[in-house]
Amino acid sequence: MPHATLEDDAVAAVASGRADVVAVPEAARPIFAAAVHRLAGVRPVLVAVPTVAEAERIAGDLGPMLGADQVGVFPAWEPLPFERVSPA
């Protein structure tokens, strides 16, 4: 991971809790998430993405950077056919 990423203001703001949501270009998401994880210390970092495929791709990219034991993917939530809940 580039050292300059750790010194980025947006990374520091998210890692310290001063910013909750940051828009990051798709290609930079794994590097940004890894930098936030390193600066956040023991706090977990949640990366929300719109598709399962993207979540799996980011998790796959983060594994070598952070260690496979530091990365997890939550399953997508889908309502059951009999539930009266909109998937949106």
Side-chain angles (χ1 to χ4, degrees), residues 34 37-38 59-72:
H37 179 267
R38 291 195 194 258
D61 291 345
L62 285 173
M65 286 189 261
L66 303 176
D69 63 330
Q70 297 292 312
V71 179

Side-chain angles (χ1 to χ4, degrees), residues 43-60 62 68-78:
R43 297 189 318 195
V45 175
L46 175 67
V47 179
V49 294
T51 65
V52 173
E54 187 173 353
E56 291 171 349
R57 184 186 57 77
I58 289 176
L62 285 173
D69 63 330
Q70 297 292 312
V71 179
V73 176
F74 290 103
W77 177 75
E78 295 182 18

Side-chain angles (χ1 to χ4, degrees), residues 12-32:
V14 172
S16 68
R18 290 181 285 134
D20 293 330
V21 177
V22 176
V24 179
E26 185 176 339
R29 286 179 188 154
I31 294 171
F32 186 88

